[in-house]
Amino acid sequence: MKFVVIGGDAAGMSAASKAKRNDPAIDVVVLEQTSDVSYSACGMPYNIAEPERDMNDLVVRQAHVFRDKQGIDLRLGHKVERINRDRKTVSGLTPDGQLFEVSYDKLLIATGARPRMLNIPGEDLPGVKVLRSLEDGRLIKQFMAVHPVERALIVGAGYIGLEMAEALHERRVQVDICDVVSTLLPWLPSEMSDVVRNELEDKGVGLHLGMGTSQIEEFDSRSRVSLGDASLDVDLVLMGVGVVPNSEIASEAGLDLGPQHSIAVDKTLRTSDPDIFAAGDCADAFHIVTGQRVWIPLALRANRGGWAVADNVTGQHIELPGIAGSAVFKVLDMEVAHAGLSAAEAEQAGFDVVDEVIKSRSRAHGHPGNQDIYVHLTADKESGKLLGGDLVGKEGAAHRVDAVAVALHAGMTVEEFFQCDLAYAPPFSPVWDPLLTAANQLLKKV
Amino acid sequence: MKFVVIGGDAAGMSAASKAKRNDPAIDVVVLEQTSDVSYSACGMPYNIAEPERDMNDLVVRQAHVFRDKQGIDLRLGHKVERINRDRKTVSGLTPDGQLFEVSYDKLLIATGARPRMLNIPGEDLPGVKVLRSLEDGRLIKQFMAVHPVERALIVGAGYIGLEMAEALHERRVQVDICDVVSTLLPWLPSEMSDVVRNELEDKGVGLHLGMGTSQIEEFDSRSRVSLGDASLDVDLVLMGVGVVPNSEIASEAGLDLGPQHSIAVDKTLRTSDPDIFAAGDCADAFHIVTGQRVWIPLALRANRGGWAVADNVTGQHIELPGIAGSAVFKVLDMEVAHAGLSAAEAEQAGFDVVDEVIKSRSRAHGHPGNQDIYVHLTADKESGKLLGGDLVGKEGAAHRVDAVAVALHAGMTVEEFFQCDLAYAPPFSPVWDPLLTAANQLLKKV
């Protein structure tokens, strides 16, 4: 049995390692186009924040460990260009430009996603960067080591953009963020979005919302970026306008695609070809609230998907129920967390949406260090089912969202969620946890 | 309709307030034996930690607000001594020692619990304190303001004892703790118990486990406490050996009792007399994992119970599903959290118990500030159902337990819990949240 994996990042290496653990006799070949495998991509902003840290700190396991200790045939610099489903082979180019071809019994496409580009003039200038691969991270760090960066513009106010705003702020860079969307974090209720906006503005980050950029020019060895009718001169531009799935080889091989050109997979992570799996940021998933296909590329699902593929390749039958789209990020001193559907997504999915925002406190009445915490819960009026939740606050927002995620997986109603016996102590919450206060308020609407 | 409430703490005042909100026409009489209502009892150790803070900071709502703004007939210093179920009256003594009698249509017994005493010589000495009521808190603070307290002994290593260890440590008191039980936090697996023990010892707290005290003597204006064959001289002794429910008036009125002499109530919070409810620390509850009656007096249940009684008294029909026994506390820099059954409780309840302890990290690989975090999950081998969980760590333990609590309420299996899409970002967890790592390990045993 020969199991070939295209892509040596979270999904690919999780699958390769687990397949070997499950069945040491299996041949596992991993074809990775870059020279990096198994690193914490999400850790890059935090590494960039510290100039003295080595980017290679983020490598979880070295390539030689996969080869020597785990017996995985890991081939770096191997770019797969074509899948031949009839002959069951993949082919492409080696690091020195030679054609290679590898046959497979089972194939995993774990090609991930790449930064979406705006295709505007100047996007390829040396002061314009993206952050996706470890090499992208190295390039940003190297650039900052050589060029004094006093001011930076981040194009796109998504997770990566905001995490990079924090990282650059830590390095005492004047940070500006622009986004074509006029609302910051548009899935949040406005009062919660405003809290994050205030945090950014309080710390001196310039926000240019509802404002795209159509051109970047080199000017006086800096970058001059058009912003609406004006322009901004900065030392570094970071493009963070989202990612697109690397699904071209799958599409060209005739495999079915899912939302946003991701690769469609069933609950066993199989594509429309039963011998070909897809996992990680290139593949879609079922949303546990709607049951519908969605493309929400996140790290946990990539790892979980990789494991499930390995199990299914080695003779087990694993079905993944789906994802809640749970996500959390930190921006400056603020934690922002989400699980399930936003109110807008819930409406699109046909629910009779009711929602509620409450402001509570992170600790008990009178406890020192108390912070505001905001909770937003969304429900279906008809069934009473909880559909999603958001939290924003300086403490206690990040982990609380997991209680919402579990409730969504369980299909709980708001009433059932409200009845949950959450833990209380003064340093950690009021007696009625903010989640319960929100559920209680929302109950009045369902 | 006249609704009489015995006891003006969490359950009693929650019930009184909500009954008035539900139906302003109802007569609500609250009979409270002390002069304090509506305060954060759990906040007392943190208040005691700060000598300059006023104990009255912990009062959430003043008595006159209940009277003037909410129209509740709140009578302080009124000690109820007898319930006459035939005549539907309660009687007792006013602050000036006069007999009073009040009739009721519906009655709530919310008499709480009191510190368990050891009945040993010297327990009534002036340097020996308990911490239960706000007045107890004031007495400790007043004592410490007048007597220099350099060394203190806490008898009992429960939640209150450990929280007070932290509070006194903050005030630079040399703290010793003794407990007749030879294991610290005996419901925890030993490696997790040891983590808490090390934290106490690292910060200089003396632990005397497996060692009770049989006598306290006054000696040189300090307290000499027998500890096994030896003795310890301290300036302050805090007795924290648990609490007992104030159920005597219920018992004398012929109402059914539940576990540990708590007052037995059904899911509507009714006692064996349909016109009499009980809620708060004096009443029992159903455990959501076993369905059995348990007595686990905690603040959230008291508040929730009070609300449910108010709803049921004012014409709704509310049934509370039960409690998970979720609890969290902080001791020095360590968070300790629990939900559901301990392994020993699960065995007593007849489950085929499997459990697993894992050690993970509170943040992603390489993220600065990373701390160890320990997770213990317990399951039933036969059904695969999750039965309980514990977390210990310097960060991220407290709120994570709520995800376990929700899973217990939902009756999830370990497999279902493992499939939950928990949120990930490097400052908050590894990609595989410690809860999921623990679930994955436990899965191998079910």
Side-chain angles (χ1 to χ4, degrees):
Chain A
M1 156 75 104
K2 191 167 176 187
F3 176 40
V4 174
V5 177
I6 310 175
D9 209 334
M13 294 320 296
S14 293
S17 296
K18 191 151 207 277
K20 268 291 186 190
R21 281 204 302 279
N22 288 354
D23 179 4
I26 197 173
D27 283 333
V28 178
V29 180
V30 177
L31 304 164
E32 164 56 39
Q33 65 177 331
T34 75
S35 54
D36 296 303
V37 287
S38 182
Y39 58 91
S40 169
C42 304
M44 289 193 291
Y46 304 94
N47 187 294
I48 291 168
E50 296 180 83
E52 67 289 351
R53 262 182 79 194
D54 190 325
M55 211 71 197
N56 291 328
D57 281 2
L58 295 172
V59 174
V60 179
R61 205 173 296 173
Q62 306 276 345
H64 70 84
V65 177
F66 289 106
R67 289 194 192 107
D68 303 342
K69 295 261 171 78
Q70 296 184 251
I72 294 167
D73 180 358
L74 169 58
R75 305 184 195 174
L76 298 179
H78 279 59
K79 181 166 170 53
V80 173
E81 299 196 320
R82 184 154 184 266
I83 301 168
N84 188 320
R85 289 166 58 193
D86 296 331
R87 296 177 50 216
K88 297 184 79 169
T89 60
V90 299
S91 56
L93 293 177
T94 65
D96 44 6
Q98 303 295 307
L99 256 171
F100 72 83
E101 188 176 49
V102 178
S103 66
Y104 65 82
D105 296 309
K106 301 288 177 191
L107 178 67
L108 168 60
I109 306 174
T111 44
R114 62 181 180 273
R116 190 164 79 81
M117 299 310 288
L118 295 177
N119 297 319
I120 56 171
E123 222 172 2
D124 53 351
L125 287 171
V128 183
K129 304 291 182 193
V130 294
L131 182 61
R132 180 76 197 167
S133 67
L134 198 61
E135 191 57 21
D136 294 334
R138 288 190 195 104
L139 290 173
I140 291 173
K141 258 186 137 161
Q142 284 160 14
F143 182 87
M144 293 184 76
V146 175
H147 299 75
V149 174
E150 289 179 6
R151 187 165 196 174
L153 175 69
I154 296 169
V155 181
Y159 294 166
I160 304 252
L162 293 173
E163 287 177 344
M164 277 303 294
E166 176 182 331
L168 294 172
H169 177 82
E170 290 275 305
R171 290 187 65 166
R172 300 174 184 280
V173 175
Q174 162 60 45
V175 179
D176 290 84
I177 305 177
C178 71
D179 199 300
V180 285
V181 179
S182 56
T183 313
L184 184 67
L185 307 173
W187 65 89
L188 286 181
S190 59
E191 51 266 68
M192 291 170 72
S193 169
D194 288 347
V195 171
V196 182
R197 186 191 180 120
N198 291 341
E199 170 71 3
L200 286 161
E201 291 179 343
D202 286 353
K203 302 261 159 73
V205 174
L207 277 177
H208 313 271
L209 298 174
M211 222 173 256
T213 179
S214 55
Q215 175 170 286
I216 307 171
E217 293 173 290
E218 204 159 11
F219 180 79
D220 202 9
S221 61
R222 301 179 86 198
S223 294
R224 173 162 289 181
V225 190
S226 75
L227 263 191
D229 296 336
S231 70
L232 195 69
D233 291 352
V234 296
D235 305 295
L236 172 69
V237 181
L238 184 87
M239 304 298 293
V241 294
V243 293
V244 290
N246 291 321
S247 58
E248 286 78 2
I249 54 168
S251 171
E252 283 157 15
L255 299 176
D256 290 350
L257 294 189
Q260 294 168 75
H261 300 98
S262 59
I263 305 171
V265 293
D266 65 12
K267 289 186 174 176
T268 68
L269 284 300
R270 274 183 179 83
T271 65
S272 48
D273 180 329
D275 290 325
I276 305 181
F277 296 79
D281 290 356
C282 62
D284 71 357
F286 294 95
H287 199 289
I288 49 129
V289 177
T290 63
Q292 301 296 307
R293 291 181 175 278
V294 285
W295 181 60
I296 306 175
L298 288 169
L300 173 60
R301 168 69 184 199
N303 283 268
R304 195 192 284 286
W307 278 13
V309 169
D311 287 344
N312 286 329
V313 162
T314 54
Q316 297 176 55
H317 179 85
I318 299 288
E319 295 196 5
L320 296 184
I323 59 171
S326 309
V328 60
F329 67 96
K330 181 168 165 284
V331 53
L332 302 167
D333 288 332
M334 203 59 75
E335 304 176 5
V336 183
H338 171 79
L341 302 180
S342 69
E345 286 168 339
E347 263 168 38
Q348 273 167 25
F351 291 105
D352 186 3
V353 176
V354 285
D355 67 343
E356 183 70 39
V357 180
I358 63 110
K359 177 181 173 183
S360 180
R361 303 288 279 163
S362 65
R363 306 184 182 195
H365 173 82
H367 198 88
N370 227 327
Q371 300 287 345
D372 289 340
I373 185 166
Y374 294 77
V375 182
H376 172 234
L377 293 180
T378 302
D380 178 39
K381 189 177 168 66
E382 199 186 319
S383 64
K385 281 225 175 162
L386 188 67
L387 301 176
D390 299 280
L391 292 108
V392 169
K394 288 194 176 176
E395 63 174 15
H399 293 135
R400 271 195 176 86
V401 85
D402 289 337
V404 178
V406 174
L408 293 173
H409 275 268
M412 275 189 175
T413 62
V414 180
E415 171 67 32
E416 287 165 341
F417 185 59
F418 173 63
Q419 289 299 342
C420 286
D421 188 17
L422 304 188
Y424 158 66
F428 306 117
S429 72
V431 178
W432 288 101
D433 191 275
L435 289 172
L436 299 179
T437 300
N440 187 43
Q441 291 302 315
L442 184 53
L443 265 183
K444 296 170 185 168
K445 295 183 177 176
V446 298
Chain B
M1 156 76 106
K2 191 167 176 186
F3 176 40
V4 174
V5 177
I6 310 174
D9 210 334
M13 294 319 296
S14 293
S17 295
K18 191 151 206 275
K20 269 291 186 189
R21 283 204 300 280
N22 287 355
D23 179 4
I26 198 173
D27 284 332
V28 178
V29 180
V30 177
L31 304 163
E32 165 56 40
Q33 65 177 332
T34 75
S35 53
D36 296 302
V37 287
S38 183
Y39 57 90
S40 170
C42 305
M44 290 193 292
Y46 304 94
N47 188 294
I48 291 168
E50 297 181 83
E52 69 289 350
R53 262 181 79 195
D54 190 326
M55 211 73 198
N56 292 327
D57 282 2
L58 295 173
V59 174
V60 179
R61 206 173 294 173
Q62 305 278 344
H64 69 84
V65 177
F66 289 107
R67 289 194 191 107
D68 303 343
K69 297 259 170 83
Q70 296 184 250
I72 293 167
D73 180 357
L74 169 59
R75 304 184 194 174
L76 298 178
H78 278 60
K79 181 167 170 51
V80 173
E81 298 197 317
R82 184 155 185 264
I83 300 166
N84 187 319
R85 288 166 59 192
D86 296 330
R87 297 176 50 216
K88 296 184 79 169
T89 61
V90 299
S91 56
L93 293 176
T94 65
D96 44 6
Q98 303 295 306
L99 256 172
F100 72 84
E101 189 176 49
V102 178
S103 66
Y104 65 82
D105 295 310
K106 301 288 176 191
L107 178 68
L108 168 60
I109 306 173
T111 44
R114 63 180 179 274
R116 191 163 79 81
M117 299 309 289
L118 294 178
N119 297 317
I120 56 170
E123 222 172 3
D124 54 351
L125 287 171
V128 183
K129 304 292 182 192
V130 295
L131 182 61
R132 179 75 195 166
S133 68
L134 198 60
E135 192 57 21
D136 293 335
R138 289 191 194 104
L139 290 174
I140 291 173
K141 257 185 139 161
Q142 284 160 14
F143 182 87
M144 292 184 76
V146 175
H147 299 75
V149 174
E150 290 179 4
R151 186 163 197 177
L153 174 69
I154 296 169
V155 181
Y159 295 168
I160 305 252
L162 293 173
E163 287 176 343
M164 278 302 294
E166 176 182 333
L168 295 172
H169 178 82
E170 290 276 305
R171 290 188 65 166
R172 299 174 184 280
V173 174
Q174 162 61 45
V175 179
D176 289 85
I177 303 177
C178 71
D179 200 301
V180 284
V181 178
S182 56
T183 313
L184 185 67
L185 307 173
W187 64 89
L188 287 179
S190 59
E191 51 266 68
M192 291 171 72
S193 170
D194 287 348
V195 171
V196 182
R197 185 190 180 120
N198 290 341
E199 170 71 4
L200 287 160
E201 290 178 344
D202 285 353
K203 300 263 160 69
V205 174
L207 278 176
H208 313 272
L209 298 174
M211 223 173 256
T213 176
S214 56
Q215 173 169 291
I216 308 171
E217 292 172 292
E218 205 160 10
F219 180 79
D220 201 10
S221 60
R222 301 178 86 198
S223 294
R224 172 161 290 181
V225 190
S226 74
L227 264 191
D229 296 337
S231 69
L232 196 68
D233 290 352
V234 297
D235 305 296
L236 173 68
V237 181
L238 184 87
M239 304 299 293
V241 293
V243 293
V244 289
N246 291 320
S247 59
E248 286 78 3
I249 55 167
S251 170
E252 283 158 15
L255 300 176
D256 290 350
L257 295 188
Q260 292 167 78
H261 299 98
S262 59
I263 305 170
V265 293
D266 65 14
K267 289 187 176 178
T268 69
L269 283 300
R270 275 184 179 81
T271 65
S272 48
D273 180 329
D275 291 323
I276 305 180
F277 297 79
D281 290 356
C282 62
D284 71 358
F286 294 95
H287 199 290
I288 48 130
V289 177
T290 62
Q292 301 297 306
R293 291 181 174 278
V294 284
W295 182 61
I296 306 176
L298 287 168
L300 173 60
R301 168 68 183 200
N303 283 268
R304 195 192 284 284
W307 278 13
V309 169
D311 288 344
N312 286 329
V313 162
T314 55
Q316 297 176 52
H317 180 84
I318 299 288
E319 294 196 4
L320 297 184
I323 59 171
S326 308
V328 60
F329 68 96
K330 181 168 164 285
V331 53
L332 302 166
D333 289 332
M334 204 59 76
E335 304 177 5
V336 184
H338 171 78
L341 302 179
S342 69
E345 286 168 340
E347 262 169 38
Q348 273 166 24
F351 292 104
D352 186 4
V353 176
V354 285
D355 65 344
E356 184 69 40
V357 180
I358 64 111
K359 178 182 173 181
S360 179
R361 303 288 280 163
S362 64
R363 306 184 183 195
H365 174 82
H367 198 87
N370 226 329
Q371 300 287 345
D372 289 339
I373 185 167
Y374 294 76
V375 183
H376 172 235
L377 293 179
T378 302
D380 178 39
K381 190 175 167 67
E382 199 186 318
S383 63
K385 281 226 174 163
L386 188 67
L387 300 176
D390 298 281
L391 292 108
V392 169
K394 288 194 175 175
E395 63 175 14
H399 294 135
R400 271 194 175 87
V401 85
D402 289 338
V404 178
V406 174
L408 294 173
H409 276 268
M412 275 187 174
T413 62
V414 180
E415 171 68 32
E416 288 165 341
F417 186 59
F418 173 63
Q419 290 298 342
C420 286
D421 187 17
L422 304 188
Y424 158 66
F428 306 118
S429 72
V431 178
W432 287 102
D433 191 275
L435 288 172
L436 299 179
T437 300
N440 187 44
Q441 290 304 314
L442 184 53
L443 266 182
K444 297 171 185 168
K445 295 184 176 175
V446 297

